[in-house]
Amino acid sequence: MQRLVINASEIVVVPDPGRPRVGKEMRDLGIIRDGHIIVEGERIVEVGPGFERGDEVIDARGKTVLPGFVDPHTHLIFAGTREDEMMMRLDGLTYMEILKRGGGILRTVRATREASKEELEEQARRRLDTMLLHGTTTAEAKSGYGLDYETERKMLEVINGMKHPVDLVPTFLGAHALPPGRDGDEFIDEMIDVMSRVRHLAKFADIFCERGVFTPEQSRRYLMAAREMGLVPKIHADEIADIGCSAVAVDVGAISADHMVRTCDRSIKALADAGIVAVFLPGTPYVLFHTEFPRARKFIEMRAPVAIATDLNPNCFTENMQMIISLAVTRMRMHVDEAITAATLNAAYALGLGDRGSIQEGKLADIIVLNAPNRLHLGYHFGVNLVDTVIKRGRVVVKGQRHVA
Ligand code: NIG
Ligand code: FE
């Protein structure tokens, strides 16, 4: 079989203990200096010190090699943009006030209902191209801008039908907002029914549990129904207020609880005990001009598993995990090594994927080469794209910052 060899000055392994890394382990990246990786087909077959020869050789001497980023929380599929709402927020309106006036999520719902499958696909493809250029090789993608059967199904079909090097993992998010004039409990009943009709198109089910959106009781009922249908629960929790969503995550056996800006110490303890991954989305408080970010230091100290994600959506519009690493470091005081673990191995576990997120024998060959002498540049040299080369499932798909496949 064809051997692809990567020779690099710094290989960031992120060793996989078979679960997310927690606490101090998040800084153990298993760095190999002046080493090589051998890839056969889709998989990594060898990692070790010294340089090697091969049929195809990537010379990354003077450069840094990492596992491809896994983005475990995106709203990839949407129509229209909302740049004017950012200006409204500058003028003093809040995210929730804009939503209550029919803007925000509800506005994107109207645009997405009107868009054809082809339009949604075309826009998603462009975003995926950008993600890949910035080093993301796997992403989760949610529905949730339909709030009705037709559009939720259309969104999930686009996700499932997408042919692109970035692997996508689909999530049903029917309970993303309450359409105006609707009763919350009735709407949850309706979305449980929609879920039963689209469950074959999704791996996860998600809900926006928040004051003024869906209550913990409604979230529990919806996610329990998901479980019974074979979908794995996820939850948008504690973004604006801690109203008890972490307890719901524990009760329903969620794989992750996402946002976690306002989470109290007791909830962090409960999540840590249950091994639920807290997925931080620091891009969201950033664009909302909030000064409060998730308390990463507390989560790590309490050995709760943590990951980071873009939350890509028309409010928080970024495809770039390097930007999220920068925010994790500068706004949440995560060490770069913790942020790397959170963006690779732990992000893969937030999606239940044990076959990636680490440069280890037997793992998928999802690998990126940074134009930087060491990994610390990820938290230091900001606002630029440091990713030079991307290898996805053993194939070079980005070279010299350009798509080549
Ligand atoms: O995770 N907060 C709820 N849902 C998304 C935002 C979606 C939107 O504003 O369009 C989030 O931030
Ligand atoms: Fe989200």
Side-chain angles (χ1 to χ4, degrees):
M1 204 186 281
Q2 182 89 357
R3 274 165 43 120
L4 167 67
V5 171
I6 305 150
N7 292 320
S9 294
E10 182 165 298
I11 299 174
V12 180
V13 172
V14 201
D16 179 6
R19 51 159 177 82
R21 298 178 80 84
V22 296
K24 291 197 170 65
E25 296 172 348
M26 288 190 80
R27 297 194 193 184
D28 291 341
L29 298 186
I31 306 286
I32 300 173
R33 285 190 212 290
D34 294 332
H36 68 273
I37 304 164
I38 302 178
V39 174
E40 282 180 10
E42 291 199 330
R43 303 268 163 186
I44 296 165
V45 295
E46 189 180 305
V47 186
F51 299 138
E52 280 284 327
R53 294 172 201 276
D55 306 304
E56 187 184 352
V57 177
I58 294 176
D59 180 5
R61 284 176 295 175
K63 298 185 175 138
T64 307
V65 171
L66 288 97
F69 298 129
V70 175
D71 189 344
H73 183 135
T74 86
H75 304 254
L76 170 73
I77 313 293
F78 61 85
T81 53
R82 307 202 313 246
E83 56 277 32
D84 52 324
E85 291 183 1
M86 178 170 236
M87 299 307 115
M88 290 158 76
R89 289 199 305 279
L90 262 186
D91 288 337
L93 278 183
T94 67
Y95 178 77
M96 280 307 195
E97 282 163 356
I98 294 169
L99 180 62
K100 287 210 179 82
R101 293 177 183 198
I105 297 172
L106 293 171
R107 175 167 164 207
T108 303
V109 167
R110 291 192 295 276
T112 306
R113 283 179 179 170
E114 276 167 27
S116 68
K117 244 172 120 167
E118 292 68 34
E119 286 164 343
L120 292 177
E121 219 168 72
E122 159 67 20
Q123 293 181 35
R125 178 174 309 283
R126 261 189 276 149
R127 291 172 203 140
L128 286 171
D129 284 347
T130 307
M131 287 163 89
L132 193 65
L133 284 176
H134 290 83
T136 297
T137 47
T138 297
E140 183 252 18
K142 300 176 196 295
S143 68
Y145 291 120
L147 315 181
D148 62 19
Y149 169 67
E150 287 72 27
T151 317
E152 290 295 316
R153 187 189 172 106
K154 178 171 71 177
M155 294 182 74
L156 289 171
E157 283 177 352
V158 171
I159 297 166
N160 281 278
M162 189 62 69
K163 292 199 174 35
H164 194 280
V166 176
D167 288 331
L168 292 180
V169 187
T171 297
F172 172 68
L173 175 60
H176 193 195
L178 186 61
R182 294 293 306 270
D183 171 76
D185 289 324
E186 264 175 45
F187 183 72
I188 290 291
D189 288 340
E190 186 183 322
M191 284 306 118
I192 291 173
D193 178 59
V194 172
M195 190 194 290
S196 73
R197 297 161 75 190
V198 300
R199 65 179 151 186
H200 58 290
L201 296 171
K203 174 172 179 178
F204 302 109
D206 193 352
I207 183 165
F208 188 11
C209 181
E210 188 60 66
R211 182 175 293 154
V213 190
F214 297 108
T215 65
E217 294 67 38
Q218 288 164 344
S219 303
R220 192 175 280 111
R221 190 155 67 79
Y222 170 92
L223 291 175
M224 278 297 188
R227 252 216 112 78
E228 277 157 28
M229 289 181 207
L231 295 172
V232 180
K234 281 183 170 280
I235 188 165
H236 280 69
D238 306 346
E239 179 185 352
I240 320 276
D242 183 346
I243 56 166
C245 304
S246 300
V248 177
V250 173
D251 291 350
V252 303
I255 191 164
S256 77
D258 303 30
H259 279 296
M260 317 313 281
V261 181
R262 295 290 163 105
T263 316
C264 68
D265 290 3
R266 209 158 39 108
S267 299
I268 298 176
K269 171 89 171 56
L271 291 166
D273 289 346
I276 295 170
V277 184
V279 179
F280 301 139
L281 313 170
T284 302
Y286 177 69
V287 298
L288 294 180
F289 315 119
H290 290 172
T291 49
E292 205 177 321
F293 284 74
R295 294 187 298 143
R297 295 264 46 95
K298 196 77 199 173
F299 279 80
I300 293 170
E301 184 193 307
M302 295 178 86
R303 298 175 60 80
V306 307
I308 55 177
T310 59
D311 198 20
L312 166 62
N313 70 64
N315 175 56
C316 175
F317 199 2
T318 183
E319 292 90 342
N320 184 359
M321 284 292 281
Q322 295 168 66
M323 175 71 196
I324 301 307
I325 290 174
S326 172
L327 288 174
V329 172
T330 60
R331 305 286 85 177
M332 294 156 57
R333 292 186 164 267
M334 285 177 78
H335 190 287
V336 171
D337 291 351
E338 293 167 341
I340 289 171
T341 300
T344 56
L345 184 79
N346 285 10
Y349 276 111
L351 298 180
L353 300 173
D355 61 352
R356 63 196 77 192
S358 165
I359 300 186
Q360 221 169 255
E361 193 188 316
K363 293 273 182 183
L364 279 179
D366 293 358
I367 297 166
I368 59 180
V369 181
L370 298 187
N371 244 329
N374 63 63
R375 69 204 182 278
L376 298 183
H377 279 245
L378 271 175
Y380 164 67
H381 188 176
F382 66 94
V384 293
N385 184 10
L386 295 175
V387 173
D388 177 83
T389 301
V390 180
I391 296 145
K392 176 62 193 177
R393 290 182 178 264
R395 226 160 40 99
V396 180
V397 288
V398 172
K399 203 173 178 174
Q401 303 205 313
R402 286 171 195 272
H403 293 282
V404 289

